[in-house]
Amino acid sequence: MTISKFKNNWTRTIACVIALALTSGGYTAEQSLEWVERWNSFAQQTGEAKHAEWAATIGDPEAVKLAREWEEFRGYTASSLIQEANVPTELLGGLILTRENIADYPWISDYLPQSKIDRIMDSEWFNWDKIVITPPNHYYMSRGRLEETKKAVAEGREFTINEKGEVLDTDGNYALTSQGALPFTTPTNGAELNALLTAHGIANENLKFSPMEVDVCSASNKVERAYEADLWWQKMHGRVAVEPLGDIVDKEGIVEGGAIYFLKPFDVRGTAVTRMRYAATDKEDSFHAYLPSLRRTRVLAGSDAQDPMGAGFEVLWDDWRQTWTKTDPRKFDYTLAGEGFVLAQGETGGVYNTATMDDSRCQISSIEMELRPVWILEVTDKTGKYVYGKRRLYIDKEFYYVQHQEMYDARGNLMRVLDDGRDWDPKTGLGMWRNYLVWNVISKRSNIMEFTSQWDVLNEDMDGIFDIDLLRDYR
C-alpha cells in the first residue's frame, strides 16, 4: 500500500478559512453540503432505504451546523482533502469490488490494504464476497469538545508530553483529568498523534452495549463458540457533552473505566471484569475479574491485559476501542510514519450495519467502505515482552479515531487485522459501536462482534458499574 511520507500540509488555520470565505463570497449551500449531495445521489443509485435514511440523517440541519463548525475549526474536511489529492473518481461512491473485477483497478492497492484485498481474493477462509464503496462522510466529535478545544486555542494554552508519555496542561496537571480540550489537533510527531487518539477516547462520555454478541470462528468458517455480554464505558473527567458535566465524583486521577458482564455461554455466565485507567503512567490500572465458578475476585496485573477476553477471542483486553495499551515511551516508540488515504468501514451504525454476514456467520457477503484521510501511527515495542512487536494504526484526520489497524508479532509478521464500524450520531457527534471485525492471518481464525447501543445510558447514573463487588451481582 502506497503511503506518502508525512508532510503537515493538510492543515489550514482558521484565519485562512475566514480569508477564503471572504475572497470567494462565502460557502455556497451546494459547496457546504457536497457530502450530503453525494449520499443522496448514491441512495438514488442503489435504491436502498438504508442509504436514503443515512443521507437524510447527515443532511439534518443540526448535523450540518455541527459539521460546518468543526470544518471551520480544522480548516479542512475529508471531501476537501480527497479533492486536493485527486483520487480516482470511482472512490467517491458506487464502485463494487469483487474477486472477479478487482484486477481491473490496479491502483486500488494504494487505498485498500493488502490484508483486505486478501479477504476478497481468498475463497477458503473469512471471505468477503464484495466491497461496496460509499461516498465519504464528514465526521466530528461533540460540540462541547469543539468549544473546549477552541477555547484552549484562543487562550493560548499549551500541552506538553513528558518523558513518561503523560500529557500535561499549562499548569502541569494531567490533561486527561483536568480539562476537556483535545490536544495536538495538528500532530507533528508520533507522541502527539498518540495523545490525540487517546483524548478521542470513545467519542462519548457514557457508553453501554446490551448486548455485545461475539461469534468465534474457526479456520473452516464455523462458529465454535458464541458469546453475549453487556459492556459499559465512562469518561471520568473533562466531561463536556453528557451529564454530569466536569467530573465524576470519587474518581480522582482516573481517566476512564470499562466494565463487562458475560451472559452467554453458560460456562462463563456471571463472569465480570472491571478496568480503570489512571492518568499517571506508573500507576497500574485497577483491573479486577470476578469468576463465578470459583466465587472469588482476582486482581489482574497489567500483563493480563495482553490476554484474550475469553476462549477463542482474537480481541485482547488491550484491544478495546482499537487500542487500550497504556502509553509509555520507555516501553514503546511512537512514530508518525506517514499520511494518506485508506478504505475502511463507515460510521453509519446508527442507521445500519456496514457489514452483512452470510449464513455461516463467519464470512461476509457484503461490506461497505469509504475513503478516509489518515495519519499513520506506528507503535513499536522496545521491551521484547509485549504481545505485539508493532501496531500500525490509520488515524482519521477528521474524527481522530482509528480507521484500520494491523498488529505484527515480534518477528515482524502480520498477525491480526482490525476494522470496526461505529454507531455515530451526526447531530451530536457522539459515538458508540456497531461492529468489530478481527482476523488472525497466522492462525486463520476470526471474531465477528456486533453491538447494540443503549443510548439511554446518556441519561443514566452509572455509579457502581465499575465496582467489581457490585457488578458481580448485576444479574
Side-chain angles (χ1 to χ4, degrees):
M1 183 176 179
T2 302
I3 295 292
S4 61
K5 290 298 182 182
F6 178 77
K7 295 181 291 183
N8 193 18
N9 59 359
W10 291 125
T11 305
R12 298 170 175 81
T13 64
I14 295 176
C16 288
V17 175
I18 294 173
L20 176 63
L22 290 173
T23 57
S24 64
Y27 295 109
T28 67
E30 183 179 357
Q31 288 171 326
S32 62
L33 296 178
E34 175 272 340
W35 76 104
V36 179
E37 291 307 313
R38 286 195 185 279
W39 265 95
N40 280 322
S41 297
F42 178 70
Q44 291 176 3
Q45 175 187 335
T46 66
E48 295 199 42
K50 63 182 182 181
H51 295 146
E53 184 178 352
W54 180 252
T57 301
I58 61 174
D60 182 277
E62 287 184 48
V64 171
K65 185 174 187 296
L66 187 53
R68 282 168 142 175
E69 291 173 7
W70 272 98
E71 176 183 356
E72 181 181 6
F73 170 73
R74 282 194 238 96
Y76 63 80
T77 64
S79 294
S80 69
L81 299 185
I82 290 169
Q83 182 177 7
E84 186 175 339
N86 195 29
V87 304
T89 57
E90 290 91 336
L91 296 179
L92 299 181
L95 177 64
I96 299 176
L97 295 171
T98 66
R99 189 181 307 115
E100 290 72 29
N101 73 359
I102 194 168
D104 296 337
Y105 306 95
W107 43 260
I108 199 67
S109 59
D110 290 341
Y111 308 97
L112 188 66
Q114 187 62 45
S115 56
K116 289 177 175 173
I117 294 175
D118 291 343
R119 302 283 46 83
I120 283 278
M121 300 305 297
D122 188 346
S123 61
E124 301 294 323
W125 167 68
F126 194 42
N127 171 247
W128 299 358
D129 283 348
K130 63 181 178 181
I131 298 176
V132 178
I133 309 301
T134 70
N137 284 285
H138 290 183
Y139 295 122
Y140 40 85
M141 297 179 70
S142 71
R143 178 171 282 106
R145 193 70 54 211
L146 173 62
E147 292 302 323
E148 285 295 307
T149 305
K150 288 167 64 177
K151 183 179 178 182
V153 172
E155 294 175 353
R157 281 189 254 155
E158 294 185 358
F159 298 96
T160 57
I161 302 173
N162 65 17
E163 69 280 358
K164 296 180 182 180
E166 297 160 340
V167 181
L168 307 178
D169 64 17
T170 304
D171 298 323
N173 300 311
Y174 297 126
L176 292 176
T177 57
S178 65
Q179 54 84 56
L182 293 169
F184 312 116
T185 54
T186 57
T188 61
N189 57 53
E192 291 181 355
L193 180 54
N194 180 71
L196 177 60
L197 171 63
T198 302
H200 169 99
I202 59 169
N204 211 325
E205 294 167 359
N206 289 359
L207 176 147
K208 180 181 179 181
F209 301 128
S210 182
M212 174 188 84
E213 300 171 287
V214 185
D215 285 331
V216 171
C217 297
S218 69
S220 57
N221 302 310
K222 294 182 179 179
V223 178
E224 291 185 337
R225 196 165 169 84
Y227 289 87
E228 282 191 19
D230 285 357
L231 185 150
W232 301 261
W233 194 285
Q234 188 169 48
K235 179 179 173 62
M236 303 303 177
H237 303 278
R239 295 169 61 91
V240 295
V242 179
E243 296 285 350
L245 301 179
D247 306 306
I248 300 295
V249 297
D250 299 326
K251 295 294 185 289
E252 184 176 353
I254 298 172
V255 177
E256 56 202 353
I260 188 169
Y261 184 96
F262 285 91
L263 303 168
K264 295 179 182 179
F266 181 78
D267 61 328
V268 299
R269 178 176 172 81
T271 299
V273 180
T274 61
R275 188 178 181 188
M276 305 282 270
R277 168 62 47 83
Y278 288 92
T281 300
D282 290 335
K283 187 164 185 177
E284 280 207 3
D285 292 349
S286 175
F287 198 10
H288 298 84
Y290 174 72
L291 307 175
S293 59
L294 301 177
R295 295 186 179 180
R296 65 178 55 182
T297 297
R298 284 186 55 202
V299 178
L300 304 178
S303 57
D304 291 312
Q306 301 179 47
D307 292 339
M309 290 175 59
F313 269 82
E314 292 297 330
V315 178
L316 314 182
W317 295 106
D318 263 0
D319 293 335
W320 282 31
R321 72 161 199 213
Q322 287 268 355
T323 175
W324 205 18
T325 307
K326 194 159 193 175
T327 298
D328 191 341
R330 297 167 298 182
K331 297 179 180 179
F332 302 95
D333 281 327
Y334 302 88
T335 305
L336 181 46
E339 66 179 55
F341 297 88
V342 71
L343 285 164
Q345 290 188 81
E347 322 302 358
T348 64
V351 172
Y352 68 95
N353 195 343
T354 49
T356 303
M357 315 311 157
D358 71 3
D359 292 340
S360 73
R361 292 162 51 200
C362 286
Q363 300 197 93
I364 293 177
S365 58
S366 177
I367 186 167
E368 293 186 2
M369 295 194 169
E370 64 179 84
L371 192 64
R372 301 305 308 164
V374 291
W375 295 292
I376 315 300
L377 175 66
E378 291 188 350
V379 182
T380 306
D381 175 35
K382 299 196 290 188
T383 68
K385 297 178 181 179
Y386 193 67
V387 62
Y388 300 132
K390 181 175 71 176
R391 290 182 187 263
R392 186 171 172 86
L393 305 114
Y394 296 65
I395 300 175
D396 198 286
K397 289 185 176 182
E398 283 190 324
F399 201 33
Y400 313 131
Y401 177 72
V402 182
Q403 289 291 358
H404 174 84
Q405 181 180 177
E406 297 173 348
M407 300 89 126
Y408 296 80
D409 66 19
R411 298 177 181 176
N413 301 308
L414 179 62
M415 183 180 180
R416 291 188 175 102
V417 185
L418 198 167
D419 189 347
D420 62 19
R422 302 287 299 266
D423 175 353
W424 172 74
D425 181 1
K427 291 184 183 180
T428 65
L430 297 175
M432 296 200 192
W433 271 261
R434 186 62 182 265
N435 74 52
Y436 228 57
L437 306 179
V438 188
W439 60 102
N440 187 321
V441 302
I442 296 175
S443 67
K444 294 195 181 300
R445 300 176 63 85
S446 63
N447 290 170
I448 296 175
M449 308 175 72
E450 296 189 79
F451 305 92
T452 301
S453 301
Q454 300 298 325
W455 285 91
D456 286 347
V457 76
L458 301 186
N459 303 312
E460 293 176 0
D461 183 358
M462 298 181 72
D463 185 45
I465 289 295
F466 306 101
D467 183 334
I468 193 66
D469 292 327
L470 298 177
L471 182 62
R472 70 185 188 184
D473 297 325
Y474 171 60
R475 291 193 182 183

